[in-house]
Amino acid sequence: MEIDLSPEAPGGTVTAFAVADPVDAQPDLDPRLAHLAESGELRGTSGATSVLHLDDGGHLVAAGAGRGDELDADSIRDAAAAVARLRLGPTLAWRLDESLPVDLAEQARAVVDGVVLGGYDQGKWKTGKPAAKQVERLLLLNGTDQARELAQRAERVAQWANRARDLSNRPPNDLTPERLGERAEELAAGFDTLTAEVSDLDQIRALGMGSFAGVAQGSHNPARLIVLRYDPPDAKGDLVLGLVGKAVTFDTGGISLKPGLYMEDMKGDMSGGAAVIEGIGAIADLGLPLRVLGVVGATENAIGGGAFRPGDILTASNGKTIEITNTDAEGRLVLADVLWYAREQGATHLVDFATLTGAMERALGDLYAGVFGNDEGWRDQVVAAGEASGDHAWPMPIHRRFRRYHDSKFADLKNSSIRAQAIPAYAASFLQEFVGEGPWAHCDIAGPAFLRWSREDYLTQIGGTGYGVRLIAELASRLTP
Ligand code: BES
Ligand code: MN
Ligand code: ZN
């Protein structure tokens, strides 16, 4: 999508702007809409659109942003998405509004998110259906150079988020660990600054990753360890951002089998890995001057004669032994080895992304990731980057007392507790055993990464949301002032 500033909307195109409730409080309402306002037909309800057909063949759209007293960047995203979904034409002129409580550059960025993420079409496997028409050109009316620049960056990032959604939505018979590895290699081939290294199960075993390998052993689709290294020539400082992702391409639960209802959603259990891979794509595309190491553990959690069992004891690459008490708590087993690997490979600051616990979704719904960590400052930087980017994130605690939930009588650790207490938090506490020295944050994205039901905001589509890509791009940008 091309983005420019423009003093006015060209004839015949779509002009749109946000209106908030109550609409009669709106200053400088376009006079062409006055009669709609008077008749009560103009609605500021979030996602509502009032469309006026213009004589020149164009359209004027007032897009509902919800209540004016709670208007924020998300309100603008919702309004812009509603306009994009009208699919009225390839050029959209959006009038930024100084009277709104969101600054112009932030408005521009939110409009882009709404248009690009809101325009996404999940129905890519339907036959005989043409691809949904997207906005190809966005003109910012009332914009500044800063607004245009932020919007252009946001556009690139949002396209990477949509690529992560494509990965999450791809069916698990297509998106195997091997194919995810191929995607990483394809990505790296597009940038001089990026290299990919993909290892198979024998190599994973040779690296001592007995925990990851235990999960992988039951699947006919062989596992992959995917490593991406972003090394720009102008990298500043000694910081190496380590991005770690859980990519379980399908989670049956293993022998601790999941219930059947909605099990198809477990194709989205690779969304953390998708966010890391496409997030690094965004960083490389923006050319950010910092070093990044991406490590993704890709495997199926399958059921079968070769599968690992409850009672098995696995040895992770840092030497710790893990008693398996539930094969469905597999994400932490994969992450244990890939987190340790990322640290060993020189990551100074770690962040992992994982659809780790159903209980995280129960706690924070489909909107927020829960963010845990061993360093409050780093955890809060991750949360702040998420909040600024539209990927909502909320800080969560780890306490040493949580260790009793994963203390094992037989081994150093067990992978789950039968007590239904603090499930996301003790999962984080388990991970902490494998992060080595230095700051680490863990984003449990089970809620926002993959939607079972429409969120009824700018993310109307079910399935993958690309959660994490915007957070990663924002975090990396903030680390390189
Ligand atoms: N992939 C699931 C978590 C999940 C559930 C993500 C629903 C998104 C939606 C994970 O591997 C899992 O099964 N976790 C268990 C942990 C438990 C056995 C301690 C869970 O949440 O029930
Ligand atoms: Mn599981
Ligand atoms: Zn899982």
Side-chain angles (χ1 to χ4, degrees), residues 10-27:
T13 61
V14 185
T15 309
F17 58 91
V19 274
D21 268 331
V23 291
D24 47 22
Q26 205 78 21

Side-chain angles (χ1 to χ4, degrees), residues 14-60:
V14 185
T15 309
F17 58 91
V19 274
D21 268 331
V23 291
D24 47 22
Q26 205 78 21
D28 308 324
L29 184 68
D30 193 304
R32 291 171 291 183
L33 291 170
H35 56 287
L36 282 178
E38 277 156 30
S39 68
E41 288 166 77
L42 186 70
R43 288 162 59 223
T45 318
S46 180
T49 48
S50 308
V51 184
L52 204 68
H53 291 244
L54 304 177
D55 290 340
D56 66 3
H59 298 83
L60 182 66

Side-chain angles (χ1 to χ4, degrees), residues 165-196:
R165 294 168 92 174
D166 285 344
L167 289 175
S168 295
N169 289 338
R170 273 170 69 180
N173 57 338
D174 167 32
L175 190 78
T176 58
E178 196 177 355
R179 296 270 171 76
L180 191 63
E182 286 165 13
R183 167 64 190 138
E185 286 167 340
E186 175 193 57
L187 179 67
F191 295 95
D192 291 343
T193 47
L194 200 58
T195 55

Side-chain angles (χ1 to χ4, degrees), residues 19-21 23 43-49 62-68 70-72 74-83 85 455-458 460:
V19 274
D21 268 331
V23 291
R43 288 162 59 223
T45 318
S46 180
T49 48
R67 279 169 46 175
E70 53 189 32
L71 194 135
D72 60 11
D74 277 343
S75 318
I76 306 287
R77 290 186 181 98
D78 296 347
V83 176
R85 279 195 304 276
R455 218 161 77 176
E456 291 165 23
D457 59 1
Y458 64 100
T460 50

Side-chain angles (χ1 to χ4, degrees), residues 246 248 250-251 253 258 266 269 301 328-331 355-357:
K246 167 182 175 182
V248 172
F250 193 74
D251 182 10
K258 284 187 179 297
M266 283 300 121
D269 211 18
N301 185 21
D328 198 11
E330 85 296 342
T355 48
L356 205 64
T357 65

Side-chain angles (χ1 to χ4, degrees), residues 246 248 251 253 258 265-266 269 301 326-332 355-361 415-417 423 426 444-447 450 452:
K246 167 182 175 182
V248 172
D251 182 10
K258 284 187 179 297
D265 285 0
M266 283 300 121
D269 211 18
N301 185 21
N326 189 327
T327 62
D328 198 11
E330 85 296 342
R332 68 201 69 183
T355 48
L356 205 64
T357 65
M360 196 72 250
E361 182 181 0
N415 77 329
S416 76
S417 163
I423 294 171
Y426 86 76
D444 191 335
I445 62 172
F450 193 92
R452 179 171 298 169

Side-chain angles (χ1 to χ4, degrees), residues 292-374:
V292 183
L293 170 69
V295 187
V296 173
T299 179
E300 253 176 46
N301 185 21
I303 185 162
F308 74 138
R309 296 150 286 253
D312 284 0
I313 293 178
L314 307 176
T315 304
S317 45
N318 70 344
K320 291 193 183 176
T321 55
I322 306 162
E323 180 197 3
I324 304 307
T325 48
N326 189 327
T327 62
D328 198 11
E330 85 296 342
R332 68 201 69 183
L333 298 171
V334 174
L335 287 175
D337 280 328
V338 293
L339 278 166
W340 183 251
Y341 185 78
R343 188 69 88 190
E344 294 262 278
Q345 292 290 307
T348 59
H349 292 66
L350 286 171
V351 194
D352 75 68
F353 296 85
T355 48
L356 205 64
T357 65
M360 196 72 250
E361 182 181 0
R362 287 183 183 233
L364 298 181
D366 57 12
L367 195 60
Y368 284 89
V371 186
F372 302 82
N374 63 353

